[in-house]
């Protein structure tokens, strides 16, 4: 069963068309990496799918229906720069936000919610920082807190916008372990990713995006030099060399 | 001193206290929505509405006047948004223009009112600088009731406001009605401004929205405590300012209220327990000492 069905989606910022006729479908229980050059529309795609940015044309089906009906089944980890880090709130508080829907509007969180939030913070290795201001956390720690907030939603489909950008190796491993665990539980995860060198290790499916879908499928068959070249166009020469250097070093 | 013991004074004191609390709370929302200038623009934009309402109805009825003020402020807000959406002019520029044009229009209208209307219009000037003493009991009751309404709405939706301000995109995913909250937010802001314009005046009303939350930020790292403290600071500014202005005949209440909140801000900036300059300096110095003693010990070892 396809969890997500995208048909001919287009979107623009003012006069610039950012996405043109994007179509793909995502099967249940997959871990998909969305890759493409800067300005390819990766973040915009996620925002359009989640109706945070208007689409000009096309249809999107979540679980065979519209997003409105299944919003609680969809989790989102935004790019780190999207909130004001100076806002007076601590790690535990941010994670609790993921439960506001469950707590109910205009109601106060109870002890049980706090306990659950602590458990999830512990899972991402942030239990010791529960009462730290978010502004005092490092980039990787902030990312873990946001991940925890998404996890506590207990969604079936997750969108993550560059969760691995600017985090250290330990955090990257921790986050990937959690993503794999989600996948093993039968959840579906889409990740905007920037590092071509780790695509093969991290994702079972890959979607090359450059304003439209360049290629999409199982990583083993789709992650080819040809497709990379097609997606990255002119900038691919040094990229190829880069991968080549790393490749020989590993050997 | 007779002013202070009259029953009218106690009523006025009570209402400016509530106004201060409401302003402190709504001001905290404004602070994190990064719209301090918006509150300034809207309070100035309220002035022509006061004059037009008076010209139309020829009565100095507080309720009619604040409805005129609210409509005019909303019209100002609408223009600011329209300019921002339809042209390439930035929001702060749009606010600056609307603020000045509406205020200028209001002054012209007030001059007309003074020239052509019959006797009892003199009190309208108090809407510029604020004159709590000019309030009668019915004014005070309307103001208090609306302020209590504003306070309750902010308190009841505390957790929703937090998400609305901190991460609205995430809130949308949780089915938090962001558009509706935006409307309620604007409504709260306009109501707070218009109930304050008689006591505080259109020029200084925005200061009562802007200063208490900034002062509160120095004392706390929690959004809830910031709201409570900001409400507290606003409340005592309103109460003390009103009291001081009651000592003299015709003293501008708004100016005293804003002065008190300014003093609270200055004190907070230096001595605030979380971000105050003294605390920051002390932390820095103790860290320096710690590092020095560490390196000295290291040297011996």
């Amino acid at each position: 069963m396809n969890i997500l069905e995208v048909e001919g989606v287009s979107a623009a910022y003012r006069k610039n068309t950012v996405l043109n006729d994007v179509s793909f479908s995502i099967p249940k229980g997959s871990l998909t990496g969305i890759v493409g050059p800067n300005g390819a529309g990766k973040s915009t795609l996620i925002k359009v799918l989640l109706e945070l940015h208007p689409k000009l044309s096309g249809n999107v089906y979540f679980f065979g229906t519209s997003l409105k009906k299944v919003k609680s089944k969809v989790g989102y980890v935004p790019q780190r720069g999207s909130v004001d880090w100076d806002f007076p709130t601590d790690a535990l508080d941010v994670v609790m936000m993921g439960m506001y829907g469950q707590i109910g509007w205009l109601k106060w969180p109870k002890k049980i919610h706090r306990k659950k939030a602590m458990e999830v913070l512990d899972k991402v290795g942030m239990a010791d920082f529960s009462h730290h201001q978010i502004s005092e956390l490092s980039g990787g720690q902030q990312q873990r807190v946001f991940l925890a907030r998404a996890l506590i939603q207990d969604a079936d489909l997750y969108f993550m916008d560059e969760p691995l950008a600017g985090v250290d190796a330990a955090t990257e491993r921790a986050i990937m372990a959690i993503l794999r665990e989600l996948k093993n539980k039968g959840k579906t995860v889409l990740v905007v990713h920037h590092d071509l060198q780790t695509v093969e290790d991290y994702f079972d499916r890959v979607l090359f995006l450059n304003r439209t879908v360049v290629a999409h499928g199982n990583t083993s068959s789709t992650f080819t030099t040809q497709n990379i070249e097609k997606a990255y166009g002119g900038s691919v020469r040094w990229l190829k060399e880069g991968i080549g250097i790393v490749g020989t070093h590993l050997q | 001193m007779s002013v202070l013991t009259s029953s009218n004074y106690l009523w006025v004191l009570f209402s400016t206290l509530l106004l201060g609390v409401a302003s402190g709370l709504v001001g905290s929302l404004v602070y994190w929505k990064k719209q301090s200038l918006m509150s300034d623009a809207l309070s100035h934009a309220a002035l022509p509405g006061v004059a037009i309402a008076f010209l139309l109805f020829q009565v100095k009825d507080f309720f009619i006047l604040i409805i005129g003020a609210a409509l005019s402020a909303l019209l100002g807000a609408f223009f600011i948004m329209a300019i921002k959406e339809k042209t390439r002019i930035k929001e702060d520029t749009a606010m600056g223009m609307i603020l000045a044009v509406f205020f200028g229009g209001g002054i012209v209208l007030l001059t007309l009112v003074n020239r052509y209307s019959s006797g009892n219009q003199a009190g309208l000037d108090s809407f510029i600088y604020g004159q709590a003493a000019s309030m009668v009991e019915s004014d005070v009751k309307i103001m208090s009731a609306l302020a209590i309404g504003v306070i309750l709405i902010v308190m009841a939706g505390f957790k929703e406001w937090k998400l609305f301000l901190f991460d609205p995109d995430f809130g949308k995913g949780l089915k938090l009605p962001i558009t509706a909250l935006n409307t309620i937010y604007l409504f709260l802001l306009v109501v707070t401004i218009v109930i304050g314009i008689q006591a505080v005046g259109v020029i200084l009303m925005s200061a009562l929205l802007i200063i208490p939350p900034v002062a509160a930020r120095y004392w706390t790292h929690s959004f809830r405590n910031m709201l409570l403290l900001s409400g507290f600071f606003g409340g005592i500014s309103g109460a003390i300012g009103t009291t001081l202005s009651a000592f003299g005949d015709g003293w501008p209440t708004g100016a005293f209220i804003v002065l008190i909140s300014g003093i609270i801000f200055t004190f907070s900036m230096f001595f605030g327990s979380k971000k105050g300059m003294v605390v920051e300096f002390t932390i820095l110095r103790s860290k320096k000492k710690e590092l020095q003693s560490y390196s000295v010990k290291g040297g011996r070892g």
Side-chain angles (χ1 to χ4, degrees):
Chain A
M1 182 198 148
N2 285 332
I3 293 277
L4 177 68
E5 200 82 51
V6 181
E7 294 171 355
V9 163
S10 307
Y13 281 106
R14 283 181 174 268
K15 279 183 193 164
N16 300 327
T17 310
V18 187
L19 294 172
N20 190 14
D21 195 23
V22 174
S23 301
F24 61 92
S25 53
I26 299 292
K28 184 177 188 302
S30 59
L31 178 52
T32 306
I34 301 175
V35 294
N38 291 336
K42 300 181 299 263
S43 296
T44 310
L45 175 63
I46 288 195
K47 283 191 182 137
V48 169
L49 296 182
L50 293 172
E51 294 175 8
L52 300 172
H53 184 81
K55 62 172 183 282
L56 297 176
S57 68
N59 296 307
V60 183
Y61 301 101
F62 290 82
F63 307 93
T65 177
S66 68
L67 176 63
K68 254 201 186 100
K69 290 184 186 149
V70 290
K71 256 188 180 166
S72 54
K73 289 186 179 180
V74 180
Y76 172 43
V77 181
Q79 235 169 11
R80 233 181 33 239
S82 67
V83 299
D84 181 356
W85 291 104
D86 201 33
F87 195 86
T89 182
D90 59 26
L92 185 66
D93 206 29
V94 170
V95 176
M96 299 259 281
M97 287 178 193
M99 281 191 295
Y100 279 6
Q102 299 163 37
I103 294 168
W105 300 121
L106 301 181
K107 285 185 192 151
W108 291 81
K110 297 197 180 90
K111 226 179 193 166
I112 177 171
H113 298 118
R114 219 165 297 255
K115 207 179 137 218
K116 202 174 158 201
M118 275 306 290
E119 282 169 21
V120 179
L121 264 182
D122 191 40
K123 197 170 180 179
V124 297
M126 288 293 294
D128 294 342
F129 296 89
S130 62
H131 289 298
H132 282 227
Q133 281 289 298
I134 53 165
S135 56
E136 292 167 359
L137 301 176
S138 73
Q141 291 169 334
Q142 290 172 345
Q143 197 65 56
R144 289 179 193 214
V145 171
F146 269 67
L147 185 65
R149 185 179 73 170
L151 290 178
I152 212 165
Q153 278 182 276
D154 202 23
D156 291 320
L157 171 62
Y158 283 103
F159 291 91
M160 307 197 178
D161 199 350
E162 301 248 20
L164 303 178
V167 304
D168 60 17
T171 301
E172 182 159 333
R173 274 197 301 275
I175 291 177
M176 281 319 297
I178 288 165
L179 296 194
R180 280 199 200 96
E181 195 189 319
L182 284 174
K183 177 190 145 60
N184 291 337
K185 277 188 189 162
K187 316 259 179 185
T188 312
V189 186
L190 272 88
V191 180
V192 171
H193 192 57
H194 63 286
D195 184 6
L196 284 175
Q197 295 171 29
T198 50
V199 169
E200 285 175 294
D201 294 336
Y202 288 171
F203 304 106
D204 57 355
R205 291 177 73 85
V206 63
L207 189 150
F208 284 102
L209 189 78
N210 195 349
R211 311 222 162 187
T212 189
V213 177
V214 176
H216 175 219
N218 289 327
T219 309
S220 50
S221 59
T222 315
F223 195 72
T224 60
T225 319
Q226 229 178 354
N227 282 334
I228 298 175
E229 254 171 21
K230 243 164 80 185
Y232 284 79
S235 58
V236 80
R237 191 179 298 273
W238 62 266
L239 255 172
K240 234 165 57 183
E241 281 164 9
I243 290 177
I245 290 165
V246 173
T248 49
H249 270 276
L250 285 175
Q251 278 160 17
Chain B
M1 291 298 282
S2 62
V3 190
L4 294 176
T5 48
S6 75
S7 66
N8 190 49
Y9 162 75
L10 280 178
W11 270 105
V12 170
L13 179 71
F14 179 64
S15 67
T16 48
L17 181 97
L18 286 174
L19 170 72
V21 174
S23 304
L25 294 178
V26 174
S28 296
L29 306 184
V30 175
Y31 180 90
W32 288 110
K33 198 124 185 5
K34 315 232 157 50
Q35 283 196 324
S36 297
L37 190 57
M38 185 70 159
S39 59
D40 201 23
L42 290 188
S43 55
H44 281 75
L47 188 60
V50 175
I52 291 172
F54 181 79
L55 282 171
L56 286 178
F57 294 94
Q58 295 291 328
V59 280
K60 204 178 146 273
D61 179 85
F62 184 60
F63 194 64
I64 290 175
L65 296 183
I66 62 170
I67 286 184
L71 290 177
S72 157
L74 284 174
L75 189 70
F78 171 78
F79 277 138
I80 289 167
M81 283 170 206
I83 291 172
K84 188 183 134 197
E85 300 264 314
K86 304 284 179 215
T87 71
R88 312 216 71 171
I89 297 169
K90 294 251 160 52
E91 191 174 22
D92 60 336
T93 314
M95 286 178 192
M97 293 196 305
I98 293 299
L99 181 158
V101 171
F102 271 65
F103 185 67
I107 295 290
V108 169
L109 286 168
L110 275 188
T111 315
L112 288 178
V113 170
N114 279 335
R115 187 149 302 172
Y116 297 111
S117 289
S118 49
N120 65 345
Q121 79 286 359
L124 280 197
D125 287 348
S126 70
F127 284 83
I128 300 176
Y129 298 114
Q131 189 70 259
S134 72
M135 298 183 79
V136 295
E137 198 177 316
S138 63
D139 303 352
V140 164
K141 279 182 179 158
I142 293 169
M143 182 170 149
S144 306
L146 288 172
I148 289 172
V150 168
I151 293 167
L152 289 179
I153 292 176
V154 177
M155 293 307 241
F158 159 72
K159 144 173 140 292
E160 287 70 25
W161 291 119
K162 186 163 63 178
L163 191 52
F164 168 74
L165 295 167
F166 177 63
D167 199 346
D169 278 357
F170 186 76
K172 266 189 198 168
L174 296 181
K175 293 190 191 165
L176 185 71
I178 299 295
T179 322
L181 280 177
N182 245 322
T183 311
I184 298 173
Y185 158 80
L186 187 64
F187 171 79
L188 291 176
L189 180 56
V190 167
V191 169
T192 311
I193 287 171
V194 298
I195 59 175
I197 54 176
Q198 187 169 12
V200 185
V202 294
I203 297 181
L204 295 177
M205 188 50 218
S206 62
L208 195 54
L209 283 156
I210 295 169
I211 300 175
V214 188
R217 183 70 184 104
Y218 285 101
W219 296 93
T220 176
H221 279 325
S222 121
F223 182 60
R224 188 191 62 190
N225 293 347
M226 181 173 162
L227 275 179
L228 294 176
L229 258 182
S230 176
F232 176 69
F233 287 160
I236 54 174
S237 303
I240 298 177
T242 305
T243 308
L244 289 178
S245 75
F247 279 100
D249 189 28
W251 284 7
T253 320
F256 281 98
I257 291 179
V258 170
L259 217 56
I260 299 298
S261 64
I263 291 170
I264 294 175
F265 163 76
T266 313
F267 183 79
S268 305
M269 184 176 72
F270 285 107
F271 303 107
S273 59
K274 285 288 166 4
K275 285 189 150 219
M277 288 163 88
V278 172
V279 170
E280 300 263 308
F281 180 74
T282 320
I283 290 175
L284 189 74
R285 222 177 53 172
S286 70
K287 260 280 168 266
K288 257 187 189 164
K289 266 193 183 151
E290 194 185 304
L291 280 174
Q292 268 165 2
S293 69
Y294 181 75
S295 62
V296 169
K297 273 181 204 159
R300 273 183 204 151

